[in-house]
Amino acid sequence: SNVLNVEPSPSGDLIAAMSGNNRDRELDILLLSAKDGSVVRNLTSGFDQDLGFESIPTPGMRFVTVPWMSWSPQGDRLAYFVRTEKDRSLLLQNVITRKVEIRIPMTTVDSPESPDISPDGKLVAFAAARGIVNDIYTVNLETKEIVNVTKDDFADYAPTWAPDGKSIVYLKRVSGNEKIFRL
């Protein structure tokens, strides 16, 4: 199997790795030991249908430039997007029990990607499209309300919360160049 994307845990003990599973021909999320790289747990072993989704989609053209997963501040959950029959959903999966604890269907946006859980664990920022424009959105994990926070004519993506949770840094494509913005 080949690793396509990694995200270190808050403690630094574990690394979540998005890996191609050649046998099942789908992506798996592996928890690896940061010490020796050994597989601690496969969060998505077996077929994805067992966890209630079809597959894990890859981000669009920005394949290697955006994160695919996000750890909760406590390091007990991992957030990522999955493909269901009609659309995509945001999952928050407990990394110890493997139980999907939160599932939010993304029915009002297209191609959501690069989730980032806020420092207080209450919101997830992500990039998605409505029509042809990519914006930054947040979703409240309790109320499931999705809010467009950028609403501009440029392609916005790869949101990352500031450590104090008061702002989001993201990339914007302006005149063919990538620029960093803070909201």
Side-chain angles (χ1 to χ4, degrees):
S1 65
N2 51 337
V3 173
L4 303 171
N5 191 268
V6 295
E7 197 67 37
S9 69
S11 68
D13 295 341
L14 295 171
I15 297 169
M18 191 73 71
S19 172
N21 178 334
N22 296 332
R23 186 176 44 98
D24 295 340
R25 297 196 187 281
E26 56 187 24
L27 296 175
D28 275 339
I29 299 175
L30 306 176
L31 294 185
L32 307 177
S33 163
K35 283 193 179 97
D36 61 13
S38 63
V39 175
V40 175
R41 180 173 297 116
N42 184 339
L43 292 181
T44 58
S45 62
F47 287 104
D48 292 337
Q49 284 87 342
D50 301 342
L51 289 168
F53 59 89
E54 289 184 7
S55 61
I56 299 171
T58 59
M61 292 170 27
R62 294 168 304 281
F63 196 80
V64 295
T65 61
V66 300
W68 296 17
M69 308 165 276
S70 176
W71 287 88
S72 64
Q74 300 79 17
D76 60 343
R77 290 174 167 172
L78 198 64
Y80 57 97
F81 287 105
V82 297
R83 184 176 285 118
T84 51
E85 284 179 22
K86 292 188 174 88
D87 44 41
R88 293 186 186 178
S89 293
L90 175 69
L91 296 190
L92 269 81
Q93 184 179 21
N94 186 303
V95 298
I96 296 155
T97 65
R98 291 183 71 230
K99 182 179 186 289
V100 173
E101 295 181 337
I102 298 175
R103 179 186 306 262
I104 302 175
M106 294 278 138
T107 55
T108 60
V109 296
D110 296 319
S111 303
E113 64 179 37
S114 60
D116 194 54
I117 301 175
S118 63
D120 65 7
K122 294 180 179 177
L123 297 171
V124 174
F126 63 95
R130 273 193 182 137
I132 58 168
V133 179
N134 228 54
D135 278 320
I136 304 299
Y137 294 83
T138 59
V139 61
N140 182 307
L141 293 178
E142 196 174 308
T143 66
K144 299 181 173 45
E145 180 190 13
I146 295 172
V147 175
N148 182 332
V149 296
T150 53
K151 286 189 190 140
D152 61 28
D153 294 331
F154 300 98
D156 304 325
Y157 54 95
T160 302
W161 288 96
D164 65 4
K166 293 181 179 168
S167 61
I168 297 172
V169 175
Y170 62 97
L171 295 175
K172 181 187 297 265
R173 192 158 182 82
V174 181
S175 304
N177 295 305
E178 311 298 333
K179 299 188 189 279
I180 296 177
F181 281 76
R182 190 176 86 182
L183 174 70

